[in-house]
Amino acid sequence: ATSGLSLWLVPNPAQLQLIQKVLPKQPKTRPVSAASYPDITPHITLASSGKATQDAILRAIPSTLHSIPVEFQKLEVGYHYFRSVFISVKKTTELVALHEHIMAALDRDGASPSAPAFPHMSISYIADEDGAAERKKAVDELRAIAVVECSETDLDEAETVVLRCGDSEEGHVCLAGFEGTEIWIVRCEGPVQHWQVLHKIIVTPDVT
């Protein structure tokens, strides 16, 4: 269980739908904890705080915002419920600047903000009692249907992850990241299915 408010960077609605289509679901072939594989909204947590009010969170958001391009980096398995299976994300200048602005503003407000393993996008929450074996199964199933991993060049060890999000008339829809066009304030209290989206800010598209 967790409690407090979180600030999420969320993909544009079309990409959000595509990513949700490939997130692992509760397996029908093996028993797992009821807390494993809840429906989650793909997002990057910019900051979380158990002390901040909604007003303090709103004040922390920069007054001028443009959409933030997010680049996937690597599919990873973690040891924490909220980071059971996740994609690490490239620390781009725009993303880091937004995060640092929000963290500093909340800090000044005495809100003790945190953002573990920033930046990442969680794929699955899997309960500790299901353990590392279940987390590995989730990764293997995801790799089998939706993930293409490659290094950028033969000499470069940097990996990139591409999510194959089903088919369209033009063929596979593949995402190597997303366009962060919404910032959500979410009350994260109790089980994941009880979390509440309190406020959505639609970000101005970046016109270049």
Side-chain angles (χ1 to χ4, degrees), residues 143-197:
R143 279 201 173 107
I145 60 156
V147 173
V148 181
E149 290 169 296
C150 52
S151 58
E152 289 168 5
T153 70
D154 291 339
L155 299 172
D156 185 3
E157 287 183 20
E159 289 182 65
T160 52
V161 164
V162 178
L163 283 179
R164 200 168 47 225
C165 301
D167 298 310
S168 71
E169 287 165 17
E170 292 82 40
H172 282 310
V173 180
C174 291
L175 295 178
F178 65 76
E179 202 62 39
T181 60
E182 297 186 13
I183 289 179
W184 294 7
I185 299 173
V186 185
R187 187 186 303 287
C188 300
E189 289 182 359
V192 177
Q193 57 270 30
H194 295 164
W195 291 1
Q196 288 174 289
V197 180

Side-chain angles (χ1 to χ4, degrees), residues 16 20 38 42 46 62 87 90 97 109 122 134 138 173 186 199:
L16 186 65
Q20 277 177 316
L46 295 167
I87 291 175
K90 199 168 177 183
D109 249 329
S122 285
E134 186 59 43
V173 180
V186 185
H199 193 77

Side-chain angles (χ1 to χ4, degrees), residues 82-117:
F82 295 119
R83 293 181 297 285
S84 296
V85 179
F86 63 93
I87 291 175
S88 57
V89 165
K90 199 168 177 183
K91 287 187 173 179
T92 56
T93 312
E94 303 100 316
L95 188 56
V96 170
L98 176 61
H99 166 65
E100 287 179 349
H101 178 102
I102 290 163
M103 292 288 276
L106 288 172
D107 219 22
R108 285 194 297 274
D109 249 329
S112 308
S114 67

